[in-house]
């Protein structure tokens, strides 16, 4: 197998070959580093490439595996981190001038879990500044470009994380999701992205944006790869109280059939409230059809108007993000990029009383949405409404960024996954759908998504 073919391997495929010693972790890492060098000059997924660390960790993994010290499916597996996640001794810049020289003292909780399993760090990935969302137009490093067509947006804020996986520069990346920031770029780049249940994955050592809505999650090319990654990442961490006492059931074990699985379809969300792009709708409906043919029991539900969820999410984000950034906004506002500064300053006019009232509304909205799951296992809906716009079309970008169905599940903490449902006949850009599950039941999401993926293997297409 040549180096180009090695880069096409998914996480599960490469893990199997490394475990059997048919693939050297060092050779695999070298192949991916070569691809990064070839591709990233145009795509700008990486802020920094940690080649020395990667080769040292790959060599250590190779030695352990040869000695029979296998640590699990991520042993010797390369990955990369959104650059708000700390790795000790490596810069964490958050795509901001304020942190351009910041070297992390300790590793994030999730990084420690991956290190303990012998994973191999390839580098730090581009993000919108401080994960605030919006295209980083005046930040220290160039914004990533979509590997399917560099003229089109990647969306944010885990933009580099999506680009690196889609462009076959890495089989696994870690992103964060506060108002859709894993799912939006995953959808735009045609990969699988999961926002886990709130509290499923530690956020210690991750620069916060809005702590009551921040999530860390895996971004991969396939559903099985995503499940492997989540299994490795999740679990309690004393440094993140939200993770304490949470279930650690094996999310990689799920039935291969859909018999008896109850799936609710929220068509009013993407056909009426408002109507989504016709090709997006077509992809979602095809997903539903495949799931029904596989034995799932499909019924339609009407989800309450999501505008109120989005507005409340935006309010909470503004309050919490401003509280975190207030000292810098007062002392050094000009060091922020324009768009990030404008977004953060929206919280300056909100109060603790606003936050308290918002949290009470949040409890009501969470109960309202959770009630929909009383008679169903999964909810299928859109991720976003609109076709992927071009980088040059700022007006369309700002419009599509707000027109979405992702923020409600940050507010309520439900796990939500996006997966590709095809490609636009008009532009060639990826289409997607979103599957939402019960709290701490990611395995059922993977069950449905994996079944669809086997029938419709869109992940096999390469930019």
């Amino acid at each position: 197998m040549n180096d180009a073919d090695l880069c096409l391997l998914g996480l599960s495929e490469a893990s199997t070959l490394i475990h059997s010693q048919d693939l050297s972790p060092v050779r695999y890492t070298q192949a991916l580093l070569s691809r990064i060098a070839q591709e990233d000059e145009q795509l700008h997924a990486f802020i920094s490439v940690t080649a020395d660390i990667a080769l040292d960790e790959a060599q250590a993994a190779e030695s352990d595996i040869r000695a029979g010290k296998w640590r699990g499916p991520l042993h010797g597996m390369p990955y990369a981190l959104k650059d708000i996640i700390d790795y000790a001794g490596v810069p964490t810049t958050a795509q901001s001038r304020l942190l351009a020289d910041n070297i992390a003292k300790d590793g994030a909780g999730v990084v420690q879990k991956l290190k303990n399993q012998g994973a191999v760090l390839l580098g730090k990935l581009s993000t919108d500044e401080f994960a605030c969302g919006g295209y980083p137009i005046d930040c220290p490093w160039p914004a990533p470009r979509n590997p399917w067509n560099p003229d089109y947006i990647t969306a944010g804020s885990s933009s580099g994380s999506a680009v690196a996986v889609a462009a076959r520069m890495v089989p696994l990346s870690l992103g964060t999701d506060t108002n859709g920031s894993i799912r939006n770029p995953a959808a735009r780049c045609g990969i699988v992205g999961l926002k886990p249940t709130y509290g499923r994955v530690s956020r210690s050592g991750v620069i916060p944006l809005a702590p009551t809505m921040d999530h860390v999650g895996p971004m991969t090319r396939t559903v099985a790869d995503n499940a492997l990654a989540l299994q490795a990442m999740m679990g309690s961490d004393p440094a993140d109280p939200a993770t304490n006492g949470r279930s650690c059931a094996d999310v990689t074990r799920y039935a291969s059939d859909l018999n008896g699985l109850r799936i609710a379809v929220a068509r009013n969300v993407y056909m009426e409230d408002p109507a989504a792009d016709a090709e997006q709708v077509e992809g979602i409906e095809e997903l539903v059809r495949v799931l029904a043919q596989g034995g799932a029991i499909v019924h339609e539900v009407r989800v309450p108007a999501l505008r109120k969820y989005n507005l409340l999410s935006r309010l909470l984000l503004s309050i919490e993000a401003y509280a975190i950034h207030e000292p810098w906004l007062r002392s050094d506002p000009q060091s922020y990029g324009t768009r990030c500064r404008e977004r953060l300053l929206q919280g300056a006019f909100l109060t603790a009383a606003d936050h308290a009232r918002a949290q009470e509304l949040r409890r009501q909205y969470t109960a309202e949405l959770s009630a929909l799951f009383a008679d169903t296992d999964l909810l299928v809906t859109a991720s976003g409404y609109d076709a992927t716009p071009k980088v040059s079309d700022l007006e369309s970008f700002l419009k599509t960024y707000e027109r979405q169905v992702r923020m409600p599940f940050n507010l309520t903490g439900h796990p939500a996954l996006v997966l590709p449902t095809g490609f636009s006949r008009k532009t060639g850009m990826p289409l997607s759908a979103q599957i939402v599950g019960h709290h701490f039941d990611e395995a059922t999401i993977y069950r449905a998504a994996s079944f669809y993926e086997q029938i419709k293997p869109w992940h096999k297409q390469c930019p």
Side-chain angles (χ1 to χ4, degrees):
M1 190 179 292
N2 61 36
D3 284 359
D5 290 335
L6 288 179
C7 295
L8 300 180
L9 293 173
L11 187 68
S12 304
E13 297 167 319
S15 177
T16 299
L17 291 171
I18 287 173
H19 186 203
S20 66
Q21 300 186 42
D22 291 318
L23 174 61
S24 156
V26 173
R27 185 185 171 207
Y28 187 37
T29 297
Q30 289 171 331
L32 291 169
L33 288 171
S34 294
R35 187 166 181 86
I36 292 167
Q38 293 166 7
E39 299 290 334
D40 205 47
E41 185 175 350
Q42 180 186 28
L43 297 178
H44 309 303
F46 283 81
I47 284 179
S48 62
V49 178
T50 55
D52 290 343
I53 291 173
L55 291 171
D56 286 346
E57 291 182 340
Q59 183 61 65
E62 186 163 319
S63 298
D64 282 349
I65 293 167
R66 284 178 176 173
K69 301 175 183 177
W70 172 250
R71 300 191 199 178
L74 265 65
H75 201 174
M77 291 302 305
Y79 73 102
L81 297 168
K82 182 177 181 177
D83 199 25
I84 64 169
I85 304 173
D86 283 345
Y87 187 103
V90 172
T92 299
T93 72
Q95 181 65 284
S96 178
R97 294 179 185 86
L98 287 159
L99 294 180
D101 299 318
N102 173 55
I103 306 296
K105 295 180 180 179
D106 299 299
V110 67
V111 168
Q112 192 58 52
K113 289 184 183 296
L114 296 181
K115 287 188 72 172
N116 289 343
Q117 295 174 63
V120 173
L121 179 73
L122 289 185
K124 305 295 287 295
L125 297 162
S126 187
T127 172
D128 297 344
E129 187 175 12
F130 287 110
C132 271
Y135 201 70
I137 54 174
D138 52 358
C139 291
W141 291 271
R145 293 298 184 116
N146 199 305
W148 294 97
N149 186 332
D151 290 338
Y152 287 80
I153 67 162
T154 57
S157 62
S158 303
S159 48
S161 301
V163 172
V165 171
R168 277 52 178 176
M169 291 188 273
V170 66
L172 164 66
S173 66
L174 271 59
T176 65
D177 193 311
T178 304
N179 64 353
S181 293
I182 286 173
R183 289 161 289 158
N184 194 8
R188 301 300 184 184
C189 293
I191 64 170
V192 177
L194 175 78
K195 181 201 78 64
T197 307
Y198 186 80
R200 174 66 95 180
V201 177
S202 172
R203 300 155 304 150
S204 70
V206 180
I207 295 173
L209 179 59
T212 70
M213 294 190 294
D214 291 344
H215 302 67
V216 177
M219 302 172 76
T220 59
R221 292 198 292 276
T222 71
V223 175
D225 289 355
N226 207 272
L228 272 184
L230 179 62
Q231 188 66 38
M233 295 165 56
M234 70 185 194
S236 63
D237 176 3
D240 182 357
T243 66
N244 292 342
R246 301 302 190 181
S247 166
C248 284
D250 191 343
V251 299
T252 67
R253 296 183 180 274
Y254 44 84
S256 59
D257 67 82
L258 303 183
N259 292 332
L261 192 67
R262 301 168 301 170
I263 296 178
V265 184
R267 289 191 172 94
N268 71 297
V269 169
Y270 57 88
M271 288 185 171
E272 304 172 17
D273 190 24
D277 175 82
E279 290 187 312
Q280 295 282 14
V281 172
E282 185 179 328
I284 299 166
E285 290 297 302
E286 179 66 5
L287 166 64
V288 173
R289 185 190 67 79
V290 169
L291 298 180
Q293 286 188 340
I297 302 166
V298 176
H299 64 285
E300 190 166 348
V301 296
R302 293 191 67 83
V303 172
L306 292 181
R307 290 187 186 89
K308 66 179 184 181
Y309 287 85
N310 288 344
L311 289 171
L312 184 59
S313 297
R314 178 61 64 190
L315 175 67
L316 281 166
L317 191 156
S318 296
I319 294 171
E320 294 179 21
Y322 180 76
I324 290 165
H325 285 269
E326 182 181 17
W328 275 335
L329 286 168
R330 290 185 180 278
S331 66
D332 196 8
Q334 296 308 313
S335 288
Y336 287 92
T338 303
R339 192 157 294 147
C340 180
R341 182 173 61 246
E342 290 174 350
R343 286 180 178 272
L344 291 172
L345 285 172
Q346 292 172 6
F349 306 99
L350 299 168
T351 66
D354 293 325
H355 192 258
R357 286 191 289 267
Q359 291 288 38
E360 179 55 37
L361 278 176
R362 180 186 205 164
R363 285 187 283 272
Q364 296 175 24
Y365 290 2
T366 301
E368 181 180 68
L369 198 59
S370 295
L372 291 173
F373 285 91
D375 298 314
T376 194
D377 299 306
L378 297 172
L379 176 71
V380 171
T381 189
S383 167
Y385 292 108
D386 302 298
T388 301
K390 289 187 174 183
V391 173
S392 59
D393 190 352
L394 179 61
E395 182 178 350
S396 291
F397 168 72
L398 295 175
K399 173 185 171 184
T400 62
Y401 191 81
E402 297 298 334
R403 281 166 45 92
Q404 43 102 342
V405 194
R406 296 176 290 270
M407 286 182 75
F409 308 113
N410 291 93
L411 188 74
T412 66
H414 288 87
L417 176 142
V418 296
L419 75 167
T421 56
F423 296 86
S424 168
R425 293 181 295 275
K426 295 178 287 188
T427 65
M429 299 305 290
L431 305 170
S432 70
Q434 181 173 213
I435 304 176
V436 186
H438 286 260
H439 292 111
F440 297 99
D441 191 15
E442 288 86 357
T444 300
I445 297 177
Y446 289 141
R447 177 184 173 189
S450 179
F451 183 91
Y452 172 79
E453 185 180 76
Q454 291 175 50
I455 303 299
K456 299 287 184 177
W458 297 112
H459 64 281
K460 293 185 177 180
Q461 298 195 33
C462 182

